[in-house]
Amino acid sequence: MNPTIKDVAAHAGFSIATVSRAINAPHTVNPVTLEKVREAIAALNFRPSPLGRQLRGERTRLVGVVLPTLANPVFAECLQGIDELASAQGYRLMLMTTQYDADRERHAIETLRAQRVDGLILTVADADTHPLLDELDRNGPRYVLMHNDTVRRPSVSVDNRLAAYDGVRMLIAHGHRRILMLAGTLAASDRARLRYTGYAQAMEQAGLTPMPALEIDFNADELAPSVLAHLTSPANGAARPTALFCSNDLLAMVVMRGLRRARFEVPDNMSILGFDGLAMGELLSPPLASICTPNREIGCAAWERLIARLDDTYADASLTLTLPHTLREGATIAAIASSDAEPRKRSVQALP
Amino acid sequence: MNPTIKDVAAHAGFSIATVSRAINAPHTVNPVTLEKVREAIAALNFRPSPLGRQLRGERTRLVGVVLPTLANPVFAECLQGIDELASAQGYRLMLMTTQYDADRERHAIETLRAQRVDGLILTVADADTHPLLDELDRNGPRYVLMHNDTVRRPSVSVDNRLAAYDGVRMLIAHGHRRILMLAGTLAASDRARLRYTGYAQAMEQAGLTPMPALEIDFNADELAPSVLAHLTSPANGAARPTALFCSNDLLAMVVMRGLRRARFEVPDNMSILGFDGLAMGELLSPPLASICTPNREIGCAAWERLIARLDDTYADASLTLTLPHTLREGATIAAIASSDAEPRKRSVQALP
DNA sequence: GTGAAAGCGCTAACAA
DNA sequence: TTGTTAGCGCTTTCAC
């Protein structure tokens, strides 16, 4: 087994109290003693067990991170930001994923709370209506939400509504009038709903009629034929959309591939705008236009706010921190004649 | 604070021992008592603190996961596999990343060991020569390596040498003769070195001369101009390569973009083969050819082997589990005339 | 400057 | 069946 403070004490010829002090408050112990203790520690390769400390009721220096999934690099990027600061500051991270499932969210939070984490950083499906968060507000460890865009709770996010609004305005500025929004399951994500609101506002402000969002299972490898048909020639006889606003980049990429397989070229036959600004999107051809969220920074900011809350140095009265989004123009958006005509075709490009 | 077993005992009117038994061995306590205790637990919303249990020296049901980075989806995918099984089996995961840095690897392992994790799942830069792993073999918690392809230690991996060999053979079968391998830092990854070995073997077996691997910083946003120049027209006057074997998909994607920006079309002017089989690669255009590793399965298998080792049901004498790799043909590989001529150009494709 | 001892939440002898 | 108690590794009074 691992050596304990007792072993060190015996080896050094002092009491465990002295060893403890030598570790935690070196200046309160005689330099000679200190040296001996340090030798013993080195000799035994002793590392104090956090368990003992944690049990004593101090900080555990454990932080729980609850994310929907790691399959979406958005969250992996956030986690990178968190991990960077956490490990620099000597905290340990306990990770749980929920797959957007409410039961798993509950389970994760309870498990982490039982483990006596000092704090929690989480992205939940629906922040406003989450009873567990109320519970956390009352008793639980402190927490900061990430990417959940709510004014009711401590959170770090972009302004999803505004970001979507800005993005759709850009599409409109490029001459698009029939713009369709694609989403995963709206019910599963407060963010997606806010993005739809922004979409609708931009449309209305331009005198256009927002269409209902088209929900898509983007975990499927293939785009469903019915969806594809809807995009390329809607059943109701209406003109097909000229641009798609996708509520996330992963979705945009899947749609892009589906369209291309159907020989529907992007952006010549269809413009596409994503959301998230995944680094990967820039590697596509053409590079994906996207509304970029600063994911790593969101992770870092969430960490800093959590620590501030733990230390009660959370002076900032506002619960919510809104980070700026940016538009990445990419090359998946074509300008079309404002007469609402078919998009122009690009000339065939010569090979070098 | 959270309620403790004492609070429950007081509330229920029994001793803490009875409460403990009610939780851990319900059949040993009187049904009536059991019911009362359960009521008390529910009333107080009590959840036993793992800390107490952990300190008692039992299993902590904590498993440490040490990964180079989450920026590469390969590791995020492995982690997904691990997390799935871990949470189903009531384990908690403590995550640390190392950025391929030996010091951080050491630090992560020590931190996790100090936290008294039951076991460790890790991907290190160089498994064979890692002194800390020897130390773990002796005293540490048990561990299983993931993606580290070594016969000397418990590990789950593909056969990196063979996989690279197979991939390069495919390139050769397509008529390529000047095949260059691109890698990150060879020194930082035992996997990359094995892949180079496989590359060299395939080349030699076909009577071709392996070239030295070209090392590239693929964290950079841009391909260095010198690298680009080397790919498109090597300085030494030799003919340029017709195919690139990239030691990972991320690298392949960056190179692909760099080439394209330089108006060097893939696969017409250059064929590309990646390694990892990232799902994302299929969304590229053209879809990236790659040697696919079953990342999620590797994570799951590593988990299962770790648990087997913890339970001492590790009957399988072999340390190493080798999972099969597959070739994904994609569309980034063009056939060229075996006369070693320039790759044929594809005819310009008509738009639909 | 140092040591003895209590106690954090829990489990597992051992007693009753 | 239930209770009492020791002890896991550590920090922290309180004496000396």
Side-chain angles (χ1 to χ4, degrees):
Chain A
M1 249 323 270
N2 286 306
T4 80
I5 199 172
K6 266 188 192 164
D7 301 321
V8 177
H11 190 99
F14 289 93
S15 72
I16 61 169
T18 299
V19 175
S20 177
R21 274 188 294 260
I23 294 167
N24 301 301
H27 55 280
T28 66
V29 6
N30 185 310
V32 182
T33 309
L34 185 59
E35 189 46 39
K36 285 186 186 160
V37 170
R38 289 200 164 142
E39 274 168 21
I41 288 177
L44 300 175
N45 191 23
F46 167 77
R47 298 263 296 161
S49 159
L51 294 178
R53 295 179 167 173
Q54 289 161 8
L55 192 52
R56 277 289 298 171
E58 287 92 48
R59 296 282 178 76
T60 56
R61 293 187 89 78
L62 237 43
V63 167
V65 179
V66 179
L67 300 174
T69 173
L70 290 169
N72 190 334
V74 168
F75 300 114
E77 286 178 13
C78 290
L79 185 52
Q80 285 263 112
I82 295 170
D83 176 65
E84 204 172 277
L85 295 182
S87 65
Q89 296 176 27
Y91 280 79
R92 290 166 300 274
L93 256 30
M94 205 160 268
L95 175 72
M96 312 205 70
T97 64
T98 63
Q99 314 300 330
Y100 297 95
D101 179 84
D103 278 344
R104 292 189 60 170
E105 286 180 355
R106 193 181 41 67
H107 175 251
I109 292 174
E110 289 200 344
T111 303
L112 262 7
R113 180 211 289 245
Q115 186 72 46
R116 307 303 192 259
V117 295
D118 284 342
L120 240 28
I121 295 181
L122 43 174
T123 300
V124 297
D126 193 331
D128 278 337
T129 67
H130 212 303
L132 250 76
L133 296 180
D134 293 324
E135 165 60 13
L136 286 182
D137 282 328
R138 282 193 300 275
N139 312 313
R142 322 221 178 179
Y143 68 91
V144 173
L145 295 171
M146 208 169 47
H147 271 296
N148 287 111
D149 181 3
T150 169
V151 292
R152 289 191 46 216
R153 307 182 189 280
S155 56
V156 176
S157 172
V158 297
D159 184 332
N160 281 280
R161 187 204 55 74
L162 179 62
Y165 174 86
D166 287 347
V168 174
R169 293 242 313 175
M170 177 177 73
L171 289 174
I172 294 172
H174 278 76
H176 292 275
R177 298 181 56 81
R178 295 191 303 279
I179 303 169
L180 177 65
M181 174 162 170
L182 266 36
T185 317
L186 281 181
S189 162
D190 50 10
R191 302 174 284 299
R193 290 198 298 278
L194 285 168
R195 291 171 195 173
Y196 182 77
T197 307
Y199 154 81
Q201 287 178 345
M203 292 293 278
E204 278 161 6
Q205 185 183 308
L208 304 170
T209 310
M211 310 185 219
L214 182 61
E215 296 191 27
I216 290 187
D217 175 15
F218 64 99
N219 291 316
D221 279 343
E222 289 290 337
L223 213 51
S226 64
V227 169
L228 194 58
H230 189 292
L231 299 184
T232 55
S233 53
N236 53 13
R240 65 170 188 81
T242 62
L244 302 177
F245 167 47
C246 301
S247 84
N248 68 62
D249 276 0
L250 234 37
L251 179 56
M253 289 162 79
V254 169
V255 169
M256 214 165 127
R257 183 182 56 171
L259 288 174
R260 185 172 287 137
R261 282 191 183 157
R263 300 209 148 271
F264 223 73
E265 291 300 322
V266 173
D268 296 308
N269 301 112
M270 182 74 87
S271 291
I272 292 192
L273 173 64
F275 199 117
D276 286 338
L278 292 190
M280 209 83 36
E282 288 195 279
L283 300 176
L284 297 190
S285 154
L288 177 64
S290 187
I291 298 157
C292 302
T293 58
N295 296 314
R296 179 182 212 91
E297 287 75 12
I298 287 177
C300 290
W303 177 264
E304 279 160 3
R305 281 174 95 79
L306 179 65
I307 297 303
R309 289 196 77 198
L310 294 183
D311 296 342
D312 281 319
T313 57
Y314 193 58
D316 191 350
S318 72
L319 285 172
T320 306
L321 176 63
T322 302
L323 262 36
H325 57 273
T326 54
L327 290 180
R328 188 175 73 205
E329 295 237 359
T332 54
I333 299 179
I336 63 172
S338 56
S339 64
D340 208 359
E342 283 297 296
R344 64 175 171 76
K345 308 215 166 171
R346 276 198 312 199
S347 55
V348 174
Q349 206 175 295
L351 288 170
Chain B
M1 248 326 267
N2 286 305
T4 79
I5 198 171
K6 266 189 192 164
D7 301 321
V8 177
H11 190 100
F14 289 92
S15 73
I16 60 168
T18 299
V19 175
S20 177
R21 274 188 294 260
I23 294 167
N24 301 302
H27 55 280
T28 67
V29 4
N30 183 311
V32 181
T33 310
L34 185 57
E35 191 44 41
K36 285 185 186 162
V37 171
R38 289 200 163 142
E39 274 167 22
I41 289 177
L44 299 175
N45 191 23
F46 168 77
R47 300 262 298 160
S49 160
L51 294 176
R53 295 177 167 172
Q54 289 162 7
L55 192 52
R56 280 287 299 167
E58 286 94 47
R59 296 281 177 78
T60 57
R61 293 187 89 79
L62 236 43
V63 168
V65 179
V66 179
L67 300 174
T69 172
L70 290 169
N72 191 334
V74 169
F75 300 115
E77 286 177 14
C78 290
L79 185 52
Q80 284 263 112
I82 295 171
D83 176 65
E84 204 172 279
L85 295 182
S87 65
Q89 295 176 29
Y91 280 79
R92 288 164 303 269
L93 256 30
M94 204 160 268
L95 175 71
M96 311 205 70
T97 65
T98 63
Q99 314 299 329
Y100 296 96
D101 179 84
D103 278 343
R104 293 190 57 168
E105 287 179 355
R106 193 181 41 67
H107 175 251
I109 293 174
E110 289 199 343
T111 303
L112 262 8
R113 181 212 288 243
Q115 187 72 44
R116 307 304 193 259
V117 295
D118 284 343
L120 241 27
I121 295 181
L122 42 172
T123 300
V124 298
D126 193 330
D128 277 337
T129 67
H130 213 302
L132 249 76
L133 296 180
D134 293 324
E135 165 61 12
L136 286 182
D137 283 328
R138 283 192 301 274
N139 313 312
R142 322 222 181 181
Y143 68 91
V144 174
L145 295 170
M146 206 169 49
H147 270 296
N148 286 110
D149 180 4
T150 169
V151 292
R152 290 191 46 218
R153 308 185 189 278
S155 56
V156 177
S157 173
V158 297
D159 185 332
N160 281 280
R161 187 204 55 74
L162 180 61
Y165 174 87
D166 287 347
V168 174
R169 293 242 312 172
M170 178 178 72
L171 288 174
I172 294 171
H174 278 77
H176 293 274
R177 298 181 59 79
R178 295 192 302 279
I179 303 170
L180 177 64
M181 174 162 170
L182 264 37
T185 317
L186 280 181
S189 163
D190 51 7
R191 300 174 287 298
R193 290 198 298 278
L194 285 168
R195 291 171 194 172
Y196 183 77
T197 308
Y199 154 82
Q201 288 178 344
M203 292 294 277
E204 278 161 6
Q205 186 184 307
L208 303 171
T209 309
M211 309 186 219
L214 182 61
E215 297 191 28
I216 289 187
D217 174 14
F218 64 98
N219 291 316
D221 279 344
E222 289 290 335
L223 213 51
S226 63
V227 169
L228 194 58
H230 190 293
L231 300 184
T232 54
S233 54
N236 55 13
R240 67 172 186 81
T242 63
L244 302 176
F245 168 45
C246 301
S247 85
N248 68 62
D249 275 1
L250 235 36
L251 178 55
M253 289 162 78
V254 169
V255 168
M256 214 163 127
R257 184 183 54 171
L259 288 174
R260 184 171 290 136
R261 283 191 180 156
R263 302 208 147 271
F264 222 73
E265 291 300 320
V266 173
D268 296 309
N269 302 113
M270 183 73 87
S271 291
I272 292 193
L273 173 63
F275 200 116
D276 287 338
L278 292 190
M280 212 78 40
E282 288 194 278
L283 300 177
L284 297 189
S285 154
L288 177 64
S290 187
I291 298 158
C292 301
T293 58
N295 296 313
R296 179 181 212 91
E297 288 75 11
I298 287 177
C300 290
W303 177 265
E304 279 160 2
R305 281 173 96 80
L306 179 66
I307 297 303
R309 289 196 77 197
L310 294 183
D311 296 343
D312 281 320
T313 57
Y314 194 59
D316 190 349
S318 72
L319 284 173
T320 305
L321 174 62
T322 301
L323 262 36
H325 57 273
T326 55
L327 289 181
R328 188 176 73 204
E329 296 236 359
T332 54
I333 300 178
I336 63 173
S338 57
S339 64
D340 207 358
E342 283 297 295
R344 64 172 171 80
K345 308 216 165 172
R346 276 198 312 198
S347 54
V348 174
Q349 207 175 294
L351 288 169

